[in-house]
Amino acid sequence: MARGHDLHEYKGDIAMAMKDVAIVGVGTSDFRRLYADKSQKNDVYQLAAEAFRDALEDCGATQKDVDGLLCVNIKYGPFGDMTGLTGPGFVHDLEGTGRMSGVALQEACSLVESGAAHTVAVVYATNGRTAGLKYGGGDADPAGAYDAMYGMTSTGAYLSMMYQRYRHLYGAPEDALAPLAINNRANGARNPIAVFQQEITKDEYLASRFISQPLRKLDYCIINDGAVAFIVTSMDRARGMSKKPVRVAATAGRAELGRSYISPDFYYATSAAVAEDLYKKSGIGPDQIDCMQVYDNFLPTILFTLEGFGHAPRGASWEWIRDGRIELGGERPMNTSGGHTSESYMQGFALHVEAVRQVRGEAGERQVENCGTVQYMCVSPIVTSHIFTAD
Amino acid sequence: MSEVRSPVLPAARPVVNPDTEEFWKATAEGRFIGRRCDDCGSAMWYPRPICPFCHSSNTRWEDFTGRGTVYSFSVVHRAGGEWKGVTPYVLAYVELEEGPRMMTNIVDCDVESVAIGDEVEVVFEDTGHGSALPRFRPVRAEAGSQA
């Protein structure tokens, strides 16, 4: 291992206690409708504007109330023009990678806490399907040019190599990821806007063809069109708005930067450091989490996440997920909207919205009972996690 | 020194920058060189003039052995572009004897036979542009006869 695992080494990490920041409005595309209509070409700014409009309507605000704008995977200029948001006090574009979902909320919280902005809109949109996008190939890291020479044509292959090594070290069997694939689809079946709503069996999972072995098609995220927006403001302002505010009880992050996506310990030490900060700042531990939203670009990422964040024992998360505890009705339901393999691949942003809907009790058929505390986790070259609670 | 042979997999022209020019020149001659820091002793990959561990500029080229072990790998069944026609192929990280790990392909063997920990050695595949791509093949008793 490249690093020790003594958590005390990590004192001094950036961790933000968000005592008084809330998400007040959320909006998403109808992913199922967009995916079903293959003839429809979607403009990314149109999708973004619709999600933004829905997020504003959700909290009873207008674009005139927004003075901070964070755009992800789109540019602020055309977006501002499209939505009449022409004079925000703070503007920043973030790159279109999944790791930015957690970072975007952290930045929004920091803006509100510092007073740089009072009400921040975070807007993500992609028309990857319309544009024929293939993930990977290297824009996100400087190794791209080197790695592409060897046929590294998708980020999934990085995950595949990490998972191959994980299996080698911990003995995970061929069907180890099946409960994750099955759980995402079972949840997608209860989500009217999920792209894939058909449940699958273990046999169907095992019959899924290899893309980058040992990963199968069903281990991969969807490439689809859609947009997500959420509105972040201070708890004081939030209490005067139309919906019950969802508190960002704490957030923490830490990067593990390198030229490749391969972490020798599956981001364990980095995730454990983030977890320690997060749990300390919030006073909430993994046992008190009612519902987990886990960034799942490829399903092995979930195993690495559950271990790094102390939900499952190290090297044994593939056993921990087997007995139904991650299912709706289980002790720690996970990816209740269907996650990135069933609902939509909005690079972590839609998982934030699902966290809000669960805390508000708006998740319909997939609602977790008495859901007061939701944790978002993203394990990637920038590991982030937040805990959301009811006000 | 190894021979430079015709490629068995796509061998795109590499992106050559000032930091790696010497490296790619050597590959055309069948030599596998890397960068080492004379202050902290670390070997590094990819080649660069400043040591990422101690920030020393006192770094130099040295001959690497071109041997290592498979750190991890994936058998790629679906790929795009010029790789589409050559599936399945083995994408791998090889841990070099000098320490660093590098992305590469494992060639000259059944794709299903590759395992973590396998001993491998470098082979050079001509890009046709004055450079050769380092790939790796399993070390076997008869390895010499396969070149």
Side-chain angles (χ1 to χ4, degrees):
Chain A
M1 300 304 164
R3 298 189 181 137
H5 293 158
D6 180 359
L7 294 180
H8 299 292
E9 287 175 32
Y10 297 100
K11 278 182 182 162
D13 280 353
I14 294 170
M16 293 164 268
M18 300 295 175
K19 294 261 186 289
D20 59 356
V21 179
I23 297 183
V24 292
V26 294
T28 62
S29 306
D30 182 340
F31 307 117
R32 180 181 174 79
R33 182 182 61 74
L34 292 175
Y35 196 85
D37 187 357
K38 290 181 169 43
S39 65
Q40 175 77 36
K41 290 201 186 308
N42 297 300
D43 179 81
V44 73
Y45 290 98
Q46 173 74 19
L47 296 173
E50 288 168 354
F52 178 59
R53 177 195 63 199
D54 292 351
L56 289 172
E57 193 180 305
D58 189 43
C59 59
T62 74
Q63 71 269 43
K64 293 183 176 56
D65 300 310
V66 173
D67 62 352
L69 173 64
L70 303 179
C71 287
V72 190
N73 204 43
I74 53 173
K75 304 291 182 196
Y76 52 76
F79 178 78
D81 182 67
M82 182 75 108
T83 57
L85 179 60
T86 51
F90 185 95
V91 174
H92 191 192
D93 282 358
L94 299 171
E95 69 181 19
T97 57
R99 66 198 75 162
M100 285 301 151
S101 58
V103 173
L105 180 60
Q106 291 180 337
E107 185 171 353
C109 289
S110 295
L111 292 172
V112 171
E113 282 206 322
S114 71
H118 299 299
T119 301
V120 180
V122 176
V123 186
Y124 168 87
T126 176
N127 64 345
R129 184 161 181 259
T130 293
L133 184 74
K134 303 269 188 285
Y135 291 113
D139 284 350
D141 73 54
Y146 290 91
D147 292 358
M149 295 187 304
Y150 294 109
M152 220 320 293
T153 62
S154 155
T155 308
Y158 282 129
L159 262 297
S160 183
M161 286 193 280
M162 267 204 286
Y163 183 55
Q164 184 91 267
R165 195 158 171 86
Y166 178 93
R167 285 184 68 181
H168 174 77
L169 291 175
Y170 299 122
E174 189 177 3
D175 64 356
L177 301 173
L180 301 174
I182 292 166
N183 182 63
N184 272 5
R185 284 298 190 91
N187 289 333
R190 300 181 180 102
N191 178 2
I193 64 167
V195 166
F196 294 127
Q197 302 188 11
Q198 195 168 355
E199 298 203 37
I200 53 167
T201 64
K202 188 155 114 178
D203 285 345
E204 284 167 317
Y205 171 79
L206 289 171
S208 173
R209 63 183 159 82
F210 287 123
I211 304 293
S212 192
Q213 196 177 348
L215 295 191
R216 302 166 187 283
K217 186 157 191 273
L218 285 171
D219 298 318
Y220 274 62
C221 57
I222 310 163
I223 291 179
N224 63 304
D225 293 353
V228 177
F230 46 82
I231 311 296
V232 179
T233 192
S234 65
M235 190 55 87
D236 287 345
R237 282 171 192 263
R239 289 188 182 117
M241 301 180 90
S242 54
K243 286 279 180 73
K244 186 170 84 171
V246 173
R247 180 189 295 273
V248 185
T251 180
R254 184 187 176 94
E256 181 172 331
L257 303 182
R259 286 184 182 248
S260 120
Y261 206 99
I262 304 267
S263 167
D265 69 350
F266 320 109
Y267 296 103
Y268 182 83
T270 303
S271 301
V274 174
E276 189 189 58
D277 286 339
L278 183 77
Y279 299 147
K280 198 189 292 169
K281 292 288 176 187
S282 63
I284 292 168
D287 290 347
Q288 294 156 278
I289 300 297
D290 298 322
C291 175
M292 306 185 289
Q293 301 298 329
V294 181
Y295 180 79
D296 53 351
N297 49 356
F298 308 95
L299 294 182
T301 301
I302 297 178
L303 299 185
F304 308 154
T305 304
L306 295 176
E307 295 178 17
F309 280 88
H311 288 280
R314 190 172 188 187
S317 55
W318 57 273
E319 290 178 292
W320 190 85
I321 57 169
R322 281 185 154 180
D323 59 1
R325 50 158 71 84
I326 61 168
E327 293 167 13
L328 195 60
E331 74 183 70
R332 225 161 297 168
M334 187 186 78
N335 293 2
T336 42
S337 61
H340 288 143
T341 68
S342 183
E343 186 197 39
S344 178
Y345 185 48
M346 292 294 112
Q347 300 200 274
F349 289 89
L351 295 174
H352 284 72
V353 170
E354 177 66 4
V356 169
R357 288 179 175 149
Q358 286 288 347
V359 172
R360 286 175 173 176
E362 289 180 344
E365 266 190 73
R366 62 183 193 281
Q367 180 64 47
V368 174
E369 277 181 45
N370 303 314
C371 185
T373 306
V374 181
Q375 183 178 11
Y376 173 75
M377 293 164 266
C378 174
V379 167
S380 68
I382 303 174
V383 176
T384 56
S385 183
H386 329 293
I387 291 178
F388 300 101
T389 58
D391 181 20
Chain B
M1 292 276 286
S2 310
E3 69 164 312
V4 175
R5 68 183 197 185
S6 294
V8 299
L9 288 173
R13 181 183 201 160
V15 177
V16 179
N17 61 38
D19 296 354
T20 58
E21 196 177 347
E22 199 66 26
F23 172 80
W24 290 112
K25 227 159 74 182
T27 61
E29 300 161 3
R31 290 189 303 122
F32 190 68
I33 62 173
R35 206 81 188 157
R36 188 178 293 279
C37 175
D38 273 336
D39 281 340
C40 74
S42 303
M44 44 194 116
W45 184 262
Y46 305 94
R48 80 286 296 270
I50 185 167
C51 173
F53 305 103
C54 74
H55 287 183
S56 168
S57 297
N58 190 19
T59 61
R60 61 177 165 79
W61 293 105
E62 85 174 18
D63 284 330
F64 280 10
T65 63
R67 290 173 76 103
T69 54
V70 174
Y71 176 78
S72 196
F73 69 99
S74 174
V75 180
V76 179
H77 292 264
R78 301 279 294 189
E82 60 183 338
W83 291 87
K84 197 172 177 176
V86 297
T87 56
Y89 60 90
V90 180
L91 189 64
Y93 270 93
V94 164
E95 187 164 292
L96 302 173
E97 277 189 346
E98 289 78 9
R101 288 186 283 265
M102 68 175 284
M103 175 80 85
T104 188
N105 302 114
I106 307 299
V107 293
D108 297 356
C109 62
D110 176 2
V111 298
E112 296 294 335
S113 71
V114 176
I116 289 172
D118 283 357
E119 289 185 42
V120 291
E121 64 186 4
V122 72
V123 291
F124 289 98
E125 299 202 341
D126 192 4
T127 67
H129 296 281
S131 56
L133 230 53
R135 294 191 158 112
F136 288 79
R137 67 183 172 197
V139 175
R140 300 189 195 96
E142 70 282 13
S145 65
Q146 294 200 353

